[in-house]
Amino acid sequence: MAFPNTEVRAGLLSKRTLVVASHAVERAALAGDRAEPAIVLALFQRLPYFLREAEVYRRIGALASVTVVGMVSDVRPDLPAGVTPVLLRSGEELAREWSVVVLTPTFGASVVATDLEELDPGGSTLEASRVFQGRWAFRREEAYAEAVRLRDALGDRIPPDVRRRFDSVLNGITEPPAGEVERRAEAALRHLTSRLVAARDATELSASRAGEEMRDALDPWTGLHTVDSVNAWLGRQLADTVRLGLVVIRVPGLSDFVDVHGPSAAVHTENNIADVLRVHLRPGDRAARLNGDEFVLVLPGTSPQATHAVADRVLGALRGLHDTYPYLPVTAEVRVQHTRDRPFDIGGLGARRAPVTPQRPYTLSGTFDEDEWAALISH
């Protein structure tokens, strides 16, 4: 996958670019003439993302004729006065959209992007690594088209009185746009946006150096990440946009290998296991050691099918380690889980936090699906 280029306004976009472009569109909404009717639409995916911008949308809601904000939620959120919430279903396409549209009879600007659930491996945290397919523009024709698209997509979830005001603004747009002015202004904004994104990335990199040691901390015996380093990489973000595929690998008795087989054989076996786990990692994945007998693969953005496929390959490779020096048989158990929960503590996956004597035997080998995993840890 090619990674985002801050110079473009359409294509693969980083979260940083979308933040900068969205803020520019929102500021443009606030700079409008109160006497000019305006539509502002925004899709935030999840409530925690909106809460960061709640004060801006309180001001926009007091200024615009229509302000509609959509997000995935089962409960109507308490939004500022003048802001109409629209609840999205987690499985619909709009739930993956990050969009901000501002439209008046004389002005238009828009940011429209779809969450690819893919990551730039160069990101400092899971959240900062998110990649989107989209575009942004300060062109009234594009904003008009996006406003109509979102109005139709949201349908009767927009209250009738809000829809009437919405259509009134659309019907009031009769003059042609100032195309040449828009192109020149957008060229300048594209230049400024790319420079601002680059400057913020540099600032973030400098500020994050203190946290790099924790995010990159490795287990001294295997070279895999530690639990604390993976938790630091995942961050404390509350929004549950990126799905995590989790493969927990348990090698019963591994912590006793030193006493049973000697230190040299134990170290070689642990490193053989670590090598197997690393082979199955994409650039944006991580492998960590949970405790003496357990490891975990963290696979952001993977489907259940893909996660199970990785688990099966890992299990097969571990079972074949008896053919590799020091030729010790390894009994491996692999469990699979998928979650969007945030914040998420990777350390909680370890058996050290599970009951000592579960009702179902803990010696089963193979991959467990989500229902089996839930039943296992519930005992």
Side-chain angles (χ1 to χ4, degrees), residues 213-334:
E213 184 174 347
M214 176 177 288
R215 286 194 300 273
D216 295 332
L218 302 178
D219 171 57
W221 297 105
T222 62
L224 301 178
H225 282 90
T226 64
V227 168
D228 288 341
S229 71
V230 176
N231 281 334
W233 170 66
L234 289 175
R236 306 300 296 172
Q237 174 66 41
L238 295 176
D240 52 356
T241 48
V242 180
R243 176 176 53 206
L244 299 178
L246 302 164
V247 180
V248 180
I249 301 98
R250 182 171 185 260
V251 181
L254 181 63
S255 55
D256 298 326
F257 268 38
V258 171
D259 295 332
V260 176
H261 302 289
S264 178
V267 168
H268 278 291
T269 300
E270 289 181 350
N271 279 277
N272 288 342
I273 293 169
D275 288 342
V276 166
L277 302 186
R278 276 190 284 264
V279 164
H280 295 89
L281 297 180
R282 302 167 303 173
D285 300 337
R286 291 209 172 190
R289 188 165 196 172
L290 293 173
N291 51 53
D293 294 339
E294 291 183 299
F295 306 84
V296 63
L297 301 182
V298 184
L299 314 174
T302 55
S303 67
Q305 295 83 358
T307 307
H308 277 278
V310 170
D312 289 337
R313 291 196 297 271
V314 167
L315 185 63
L318 291 177
R319 286 173 171 170
L321 286 183
H322 64 276
D323 291 329
T324 303
Y325 180 84
Y327 311 111
L328 298 177
V330 171
T331 301
E333 304 164 1
V334 180

Side-chain angles (χ1 to χ4, degrees), residues 43-55:
L43 301 184
F44 276 88
Q45 294 192 284
R46 302 294 191 273
L47 180 61
Y49 295 131
F50 173 81
L51 293 178
R52 297 176 179 177
E53 311 297 335
E55 174 57 24

Side-chain angles (χ1 to χ4, degrees), residues 7 29 50 66 77 141 149 154 161 176 201 216 220 225 272 291 296 301 309 327 338 344 346 367 374 377:
E7 295 289 342
F50 173 81
V66 174
E141 286 185 348
R149 177 183 66 87
L154 295 174
D161 63 319
D201 283 345
D216 295 332
H225 282 90
N272 288 342
N291 51 53
V296 63
Y327 311 111
H338 303 92
F344 189 83
I346 290 295
T367 59
I377 65 174

